[in-house]
Amino acid sequence: MTLHLTNARLIDPEAGTDSLGSLTVRDGKIVGRGAAPKGAQVLDCGGMCLAPGIVDWGVKIGEPGERHRESFRSAGLAAAAGGVTTIVARPDTSPSIDTPETLEFVTRRAAESVVRIRHMAALTKGRLGEEMTEIGFLLDAGAVAFTDVFHVSTNTKALARALVYARSLNALIVGHPQEPGLSAGAAATNSKFASLRGLPSVSPMAERIGLDRDLGLVEMTGAAYHADQITTARSLPAIARAKRNGLDVTAGVSIHHLTLNELDVGDYRTFFKLTPPLRSEDDRVAMVQAVAEGVIDVIASFHTPADEESKRLPFEEAASGAVGLQTLLPAAMRLYHSGEVTLPQLWRAMSLNPANRLGLAQGRLAEGSPADLVLFDPDAPFLLDRFTLHSKSKNTPFDGQRMEGKVLATWVGGVQVFKG
Amino acid sequence: MSFRARHLLGIEHLSPAEILSVLDLADRYVDLNRRTVKQSDVLAGLTQINMFFENSTRTQASFELAGKRLGADVMNMSVAQSSVKKGETLIDTAMTLNAMRPDLLVVRHPSSGAVNLLASKVNCAVLNAGDGRHEHPTQALLDALTIRRAKGRIQRLTVAICGDIAHSRVARSNLILLGKMECNLRLIAPPTLMPPGVEGFGCELYDDMKKGLKGADVVMMLRLQKERMDGGFIPSEREYYHRYGLDAEKLSFAKPDAIVMHPGPMNRGVEIDGEIADDINRSVIQEQVEMGVAVRMACMDLLARNLRAERGRAAVGVMV
């Protein structure tokens, strides 16, 4: 069957363009931008935005171990409703995805999702930072990257070995830049606000120190490295320098660190407790600029489902993290509406760059690419009610907030998986 | 004269007028407490539960005595030893107690913000008796009352707060209260015991105690909170005492009539010299304990007035 999407505002991150046009989809692929072929089903997009589906890198799904928080099925529904067509899942499950067997299990389970799921595997066994996993077997089983997620290894020698080994297999390493000794026990970023609230806090420098170590290891081993979240201005020159020096380094940031700051915690609101903690407004502004300039490559939701009980605790004891699959697009629209970032720039960071870095064919509107698409109205306003989210967990910091940007339709491989 | 809010969670939410009204009422309770018969019935028929998730002797005793002198039925719960150990969450414990229909809940908890969380789940009035490193409002109020009685005023004094500021909720509540009273505030501590972002507090900062004490009207010492420290913040107690312990020599830099305060319990020979602590011409540490009972009586009295007014409105069906 052939689908012709006409009168659409095409957001093309590869070309960097945002212009009216049409797009033809056949057999799950984008086949052209010309006139409607004969016999095609024509859909008038009414001037709404049509962009590559989002590739959300770093999503926590509760399988195995915490299916009450999120399943592949619920995550898939949330993703489709949020314009996310590829979920890149994290291995910080229970048990960790650190063997080909567990990876095969989640790959099978992932068939329940309506959007594509790709898996990252643990870099070390049990994500303990001591012994490397079977990187070769895991690559064969389909792992797209290797990460211990938020666990930072203090065994630098073991980490160096894992990086050297990964280099020989061209495996991508995802690091969480953080000096774990400095950030131990912290629930906020050092500031007047954190101190007046009496919250244990960490200096933003902990991120830079962790990053400097990781970049040193990259220089030493030649490994391909992606920093999962860079959230402070002080880390940016280090990333820019590493890229200039030709290291194989990219960096990401969460949408929450681009749209919220430490003051949003207010009166100990635990939905705003994140890893790393929210930063100062100066840092937020610097990160948005870094996205526009391309120093930061990837924007992701870092979707982290937490049940109600784990958030209904004193701030220090409460679980960290926020759901984001369904709110990534409307939250990103805040950056577009404030004039700080254009739509092609956003889609470069939310779909083209992550797809390229992970070796996926998605993330573009080019002929022959998979027809993973999102049609959305960037201006449609709404009031977010967290109980309308498809995720099993409802821990969103945007609850009750005014947002703009509604997904109208989502296609995965030419098949419509969501209709708004 | 009353509080605007139902709870007393911190000094942050009190206006200067509210603070002064607590002090005025507390003055009257000081008089009551000095009589032979120390009885009032303003809390008669009300139930007060003291819920201490962190061990405390003096604060709990002070609240218990305050409630009893005002005629409340007082119950003490040492939660540190009971249900929490069985895995019950803070909110469940609060809901359970709430179902027993208390009127005043006095809560101390080791986590900052825990008392705010609890207050959002119960129907009674909640008094924060100290949450983590966040606030300890009745301590700041009793300190203010002590200062006002010793100095004749509270506004625009030069107050030096010395010691473990990073871990101290007493320091935070006092900073906020004395700031609202337009005092000139000085913080004196080794840099390891200053909280992050302290530059934004609007205080003068000193790591040299003698310079910091120069011309001070009030010297407020803090306890070294060893139980809140995770690792070495100071090289040793003897070096700390040498540089930051209050002794006669360092005190001589303050004004000749400067008063010395300490929230207790004191580590003699660590942050304060024993003789200074006991010097009735300089130290008001015993007065602070006495003012504590009066201030807590005043706070509970004011909260109970709100509670009664609210229930009165509910009973006659007034739309608010």
Side-chain angles (χ1 to χ4, degrees), chain A residues 87 168 254 345:
Chain A
I87 287 174
S168 72
S254 90
Q345 279 174 326

Side-chain angles (χ1 to χ4, degrees), chain A residues 190-192 195-201 267-268 312-317, chain B residues 12 90-91 109 111-114 116-117 133-134 172 195-197 200-201:
Chain A
N190 276 1
S191 69
K192 177 187 170 189
S195 284
L196 285 176
R197 283 284 178 272
L199 293 174
S201 58
D267 227 356
Y268 303 100
R312 287 175 66 200
L313 290 171
F315 197 84
E316 282 172 58
E317 295 154 39
Chain B
E12 191 186 349
L90 173 64
I91 289 182
H109 197 282
S111 289
S112 304
N116 299 48
L117 175 67
R133 331 172 173 178
H134 177 219
R172 283 170 180 70
F201 283 17

Side-chain angles (χ1 to χ4, degrees), chain A residues 8 24 52 85 119 200 292:
Chain A
T24 310
T85 52
H119 299 277

